[in-house]
Amino acid sequence: MSDFLQHECGIALLRLKKPLSYYQEKYGSSLYGIQKMYLLMEKQHNRGQDGAGFASIKLDVAPGERYISRFRSNQAQPILDVFNHINTRIKEIVDANPEKSKDMSWLKKNAPYVGELFLGHVRYGTFGKNSIESVHPFLRQNNWMHRNLIVAGNFNMTNVKELFQNLVDLGQHPKEFADTVTVMEKIGHFLDDEVTDLYYECKQDGLSKKEASPIIAEKLNIAKILKRASKNWDGGYAMAGLIGHGDAFVFRDPNGIRPAYFYEDDELVVVASERPVIQTAFNVSYDQVQELKPGNALIIKKNGQTTSEEIIPSKEFKACSFERIYFSRGSDADIYQERKQLGKYLFPQILNEIDGDVENTVFSYIPNTAEVSFFGMVEAAQDFLNSRKIQQILSKNSLNEVVLKDILDFKIRTEKIAIKDAKLRTFITDDSSRDDLVTHVYDVTYGVVKPKDTIVIIDDSIVRGTTLKKSILRMLDRLHPKKIVIVSSAPQIRYPDCYGIDMANLDGLIAFQAALALLKERGMEHLIDEVYEKCKKQENLPDNEVINHVKEIYAPFSDEEISNKIAELLHGPEVNANVSILYQTVENLHLACPKNLGDWYFTGDYPTPGGNRVVNRSFINFKEGIQDRAY
């Protein structure tokens, strides 16, 4: 994605079912769980590069012994920083006691992070918030083991204000107005309630607090806690939690917006945001990794028993399509094929745009994550070329070897045109000087494009268009092509996301800018004011009565008209070549990714009621010149 999108987090949860000595003997490592967690987090580095956190819990420790360890980092290489810290702490213990450290019971008792239950998280900072206090996992501490709660997740809630007020109404005083803290405190409140209720049951049976502790651990009803806590949640989430005595859970939203996968055998239970991460880390097959059902929680009790329980009835399945287009690793078997299909379905539009002139067209891609879609596009181009060759051969009354060789030798022209210089940093803040540096973030391959050629470049998606305008188009124009065609494997991004991707401001979207420009050109600016008034009138309505009126901004125009206006907006005076922008259609997106139908950023059809409120609030913010987040 040439316009870099942020904030798509990744989770990793691991529960070891056997004694730690078992893994030491079988796998030859006393740090088996920690090593696997490093793999799970590093393999999800694509999901979060601004922060990382790690927490562990030791089971069945004596009173006074530390059983929870946590470390978070927002350094430049956060995962590496986290595990360097863990390794350093453990190494200090091992080096001071080399003989004793071979005993897993001793190591578990004396070394931090050596335990049976682990939670890891990688994240992007949202709206500049990347202080260490914003990095997951979050910890809610208590002297009662059962009331300690650790939470990390991949989520955004659209109704944080309502959830915050719920906590205030419950008599709490939350320390921060943030969805993560609010969600954790909501779960924590009902966890406290459940522990208290179980304790009084034990007390009535004549048990002491000490005697009640293992009974509470056994009877604690995680599903009940989550049902009560999530009653008013509106958002997309895959949320993981650990409880001090050793229970754990991963809970997915009822629309399946955010992903979660798990694998279980007699040695362990593991959960991650992506299937191939688990496949790689534990060398298991595709079929062995299961997807957590929407609205369900995977609950792992202290005794190792694992169940999937419905917390909220599942709703219309709207798994995020951006997972397939961009965020998830392309090594997933399904995602790889889906991305190829995205490229394949674009070829008829491309062929029309270049007037069928494949002889004078060079195909390429940018950035590297668009490579798989590029393969699909080229395969479709090759199929077209093969059909044309067959017609050429059949149409010849007589063929000789030279003519036949000329026909068969013709190939689709594919080149690696753009190479990103990862070392280059735009350290100058002055706008004009900085823009000049931005144009050199990519290097180009000279000598492969002729003046009569068209360059076709496929990109994952075009969000803001900033990098295209200030860097990529200028860079491609240095090759002096006749025409540049930028192809987006995703449809036009018209609406903000509110479930986990950092696309909250309407006026930052190039499709929205294009629609506004068309309204002004055609004397239809009154629509802007009308939509604003409609949005304002809905501010105090319940979420389920709110309508997305921002759709009316796009309604007068065809997709092609908006695409053409986007090309015009991005075609600066310093670019000499003609420029066209082509987008995937929503229909073809659904054909390519039939299981991930979440398309609200393209269509405005939000899967939860809060989404409509967010898009209207985003439009109000735009009209009033407010840069605040809309949720």
Side-chain angles (χ1 to χ4, degrees):
M1 187 174 298
S2 54
D3 284 323
F4 191 58
L5 277 184
Q6 293 191 333
H7 194 55
E8 182 64 7
C9 303
I11 55 173
L13 185 149
L14 176 62
R15 166 68 155 89
L16 302 180
K17 293 183 178 181
K18 304 283 189 182
L20 296 184
S21 57
Y22 171 90
Y23 305 95
Q24 184 185 41
E25 292 169 10
K26 181 172 180 178
Y27 298 106
S29 172
S30 56
L31 304 179
Y32 173 83
I34 294 171
Q35 290 170 349
K36 290 298 184 183
M37 284 298 294
Y38 172 72
L39 273 177
L40 291 168
M41 292 173 67
E42 191 59 67
K43 291 293 181 181
Q44 294 183 100
H45 201 174
N46 54 298
R47 304 182 73 85
Q49 300 171 24
D50 288 347
F54 180 98
S56 66
I57 289 180
K58 304 172 188 281
L59 303 182
D60 301 315
V61 301
E65 293 181 6
R66 183 175 181 179
Y67 60 97
I68 295 178
S69 298
R70 178 184 65 145
F71 185 76
R72 300 174 296 171
S73 174
N74 61 349
Q75 298 301 305
Q77 297 182 334
I79 298 174
L80 183 63
D81 188 44
V82 165
F83 284 92
N84 279 342
H85 167 83
I86 293 170
N87 288 333
T88 299
R89 292 290 308 282
I90 295 173
K91 189 174 185 298
E92 290 171 354
I93 302 294
V94 171
D95 288 350
N97 303 272
E99 294 303 318
K100 291 182 180 179
S101 64
K102 296 177 182 178
D103 179 351
M104 284 306 301
S105 297
W106 183 92
L107 191 64
K108 175 181 171 180
K109 179 178 179 179
N110 291 277
Y113 304 103
V114 179
E116 294 89 352
L117 186 56
F118 308 94
L119 178 59
H121 188 265
V122 293
R123 78 183 292 271
Y124 282 116
T126 308
F127 281 74
K129 290 185 179 179
N130 198 36
S131 65
I132 197 66
E133 289 80 14
S134 300
V135 180
H136 304 206
F138 284 72
L139 172 62
R140 188 178 191 262
Q141 290 183 290
N142 194 287
N143 271 344
W144 281 51
M145 181 179 284
H146 319 292
R147 293 184 176 183
N148 281 291
L149 176 65
I150 304 170
V151 171
N154 173 14
F155 67 92
N156 267 353
M157 298 296 174
T158 70
N159 59 338
V160 182
K161 291 179 182 178
E162 178 188 349
L163 298 177
F164 185 88
Q165 188 59 47
N166 289 162
L167 289 174
V168 174
D169 293 342
L170 290 169
Q172 292 196 21
H173 190 91
K175 65 179 182 179
E176 188 179 348
F177 188 83
D179 53 2
T180 311
V181 173
T182 306
V183 164
M184 182 177 68
E185 292 300 333
K186 195 81 179 288
I187 297 172
H189 172 82
F190 291 108
L191 173 63
D192 289 346
D193 269 6
E194 182 74 4
V195 170
T196 301
D197 290 346
L198 288 171
Y199 166 66
Y200 280 117
E201 287 180 17
C202 293
K203 186 177 180 181
Q204 289 174 357
D205 292 338
L207 299 177
S208 67
K209 290 182 179 179
K210 182 178 179 180
E211 292 169 330
S213 186
I215 305 298
I216 293 171
E218 180 185 347
K219 291 187 174 182
L220 194 68
N221 190 331
I222 303 298
K224 180 182 175 182
I225 293 167
L226 293 176
K227 285 177 183 177
R228 297 178 72 190
S230 62
K231 187 176 180 181
N232 298 318
W233 290 358
D234 187 293
Y237 48 87
M239 191 176 307
L242 312 180
I243 298 172
H245 65 269
D247 285 358
F249 65 86
V250 177
F251 178 26
R252 191 179 183 196
D253 68 84
N255 293 101
I257 295 170
R258 300 267 70 88
Y261 297 87
F262 69 95
Y263 166 75
E264 181 183 16
D265 60 24
D266 62 338
E267 294 183 359
L268 55 87
V269 185
V270 58
V271 188
S273 295
E274 300 187 32
R275 187 194 305 267
V277 169
I278 297 175
Q279 289 181 248
T280 299
F282 295 95
N283 192 27
V284 295
S285 68
Y286 173 96
D287 294 335
Q288 291 175 284
V289 182
Q290 301 179 60
E291 185 173 3
L292 183 59
K293 293 179 181 178
N296 279 33
L298 188 73
I299 297 171
I300 309 164
K301 292 295 290 179
K302 177 181 177 292
N303 63 11
Q305 181 182 358
T306 304
T307 57
S308 180
E309 300 189 38
E310 183 180 271
I311 307 302
I312 303 173
S314 62
K315 300 178 182 178
E316 186 180 8
F317 190 60
K318 288 290 184 178
C320 173
S321 56
F322 254 118
E323 289 285 342
R324 323 302 279 186
I325 296 167
Y326 177 67
F327 284 117
S328 294
R329 293 169 70 88
S331 56
D332 181 277
D334 289 343
I335 292 174
Y336 186 85
Q337 293 303 322
E338 289 168 10
R339 289 181 181 174
K340 286 186 73 175
Q341 289 294 101
L342 288 170
K344 175 183 176 182
Y345 287 140
L346 282 163
F347 185 71
Q349 289 186 68
I350 296 169
L351 191 62
N352 182 65
E353 188 64 32
I354 63 175
D355 296 323
D357 184 11
V358 290
E359 287 88 351
N360 296 304
T361 300
V362 179
F363 295 87
S364 193
Y365 60 91
I366 191 170
N368 288 342
T369 48
E371 185 176 14
V372 178
S373 294
F374 168 75
F375 290 155
M377 177 181 69
V378 171
E379 283 185 9
Q382 194 61 54
D383 289 343
F384 162 78
L385 191 58
N386 287 342
S387 296
R388 198 175 74 172
K389 288 179 179 180
I390 291 171
Q391 294 301 317
Q392 287 175 328
I393 293 170
L394 293 176
S395 67
K396 299 287 184 183
N397 293 324
S398 61
L399 278 175
N400 58 48
E401 185 176 338
V402 174
V403 173
L404 186 59
K405 187 174 186 302
D406 285 343
I407 293 173
L408 295 179
D409 278 352
F410 183 74
K411 295 178 177 62
I412 296 296
R413 295 169 62 193
T414 61
E415 303 289 351
K416 178 73 171 174
I417 287 180
I419 304 107
K420 190 170 186 179
D421 190 343
K423 302 182 295 299
L424 191 61
R425 293 291 182 265
T426 51
F427 59 89
I428 297 175
T429 56
D430 173 69
D431 284 345
S432 59
S433 301
R434 189 176 184 278
D435 285 352
D436 182 61
L437 276 182
V438 168
T439 63
H440 294 89
V441 168
Y442 288 92
D443 289 331
V444 288
T445 303
Y446 293 96
V448 297
V449 175
K450 303 178 182 69
K452 63 180 180 179
D453 286 339
T454 294
I455 298 175
V456 173
I457 295 277
I458 192 167
D459 193 351
D460 299 291
S461 62
I462 302 167
V463 187
R464 303 174 186 93
T466 307
T467 309
L468 270 178
K469 184 171 185 175
K470 294 187 175 183
S471 177
I472 294 172
L473 288 174
R474 296 184 191 180
M475 172 266 296
L476 294 174
D477 196 57
R478 293 204 296 267
L479 300 176
H480 307 296
K482 177 182 70 175
K483 185 175 185 178
I484 300 168
V485 181
I486 304 294
V487 187
S488 170
S489 70
Q492 296 169 3
I493 298 169
R494 299 181 170 193
Y495 305 93
D497 184 69
C498 53
Y499 304 119
I501 302 172
D502 189 4
M503 294 192 298
N505 292 332
L506 263 173
D507 55 338
L509 305 178
I510 188 62
F512 182 72
Q513 295 172 28
L516 294 182
L518 287 170
L519 288 173
K520 292 174 182 176
E521 275 182 13
R522 301 184 187 183
M524 302 170 68
E525 289 179 87
H526 59 90
L527 267 178
I528 299 172
D529 295 326
E530 290 171 11
V531 169
Y532 171 71
E533 292 300 328
K534 289 178 181 179
C535 292
K536 290 290 285 185
K537 286 179 181 178
Q538 292 193 112
E539 282 194 291
N540 296 318
L541 291 179
D543 279 351
N544 59 6
E545 295 180 21
V546 177
I547 297 169
N548 178 2
H549 285 294
V550 182
K551 288 184 177 184
E552 296 171 35
I553 295 294
Y554 298 98
F557 313 115
S558 68
D559 291 355
E560 186 178 5
E561 286 176 306
I562 291 177
S563 293
N564 291 341
K565 179 52 68 173
I566 290 171
E568 185 181 321
L569 293 176
L570 298 182
H571 189 293
E574 58 286 316
V575 175
N576 294 309
N578 293 325
V579 175
S580 292
I581 309 285
L582 302 180
Y583 283 91
Q584 187 75 258
T585 66
V586 173
E587 294 75 18
N588 282 343
L589 170 69
H590 290 168
L591 285 175
C593 309
K595 296 179 182 178
N596 282 53
L597 300 177
D599 60 6
W600 52 91
Y601 11 70
F602 312 125
T603 63
D605 297 332
Y606 288 87
T608 75
N612 290 331
R613 181 174 299 282
V614 167
V615 68
N616 286 349
R617 166 47 58 186
S618 187
F619 188 83
I620 292 169
N621 287 351
F622 149 72
K623 192 71 170 62
E624 296 180 353
I626 298 171
Q627 290 301 310
D628 290 348
R629 195 174 183 174
Y631 54 93

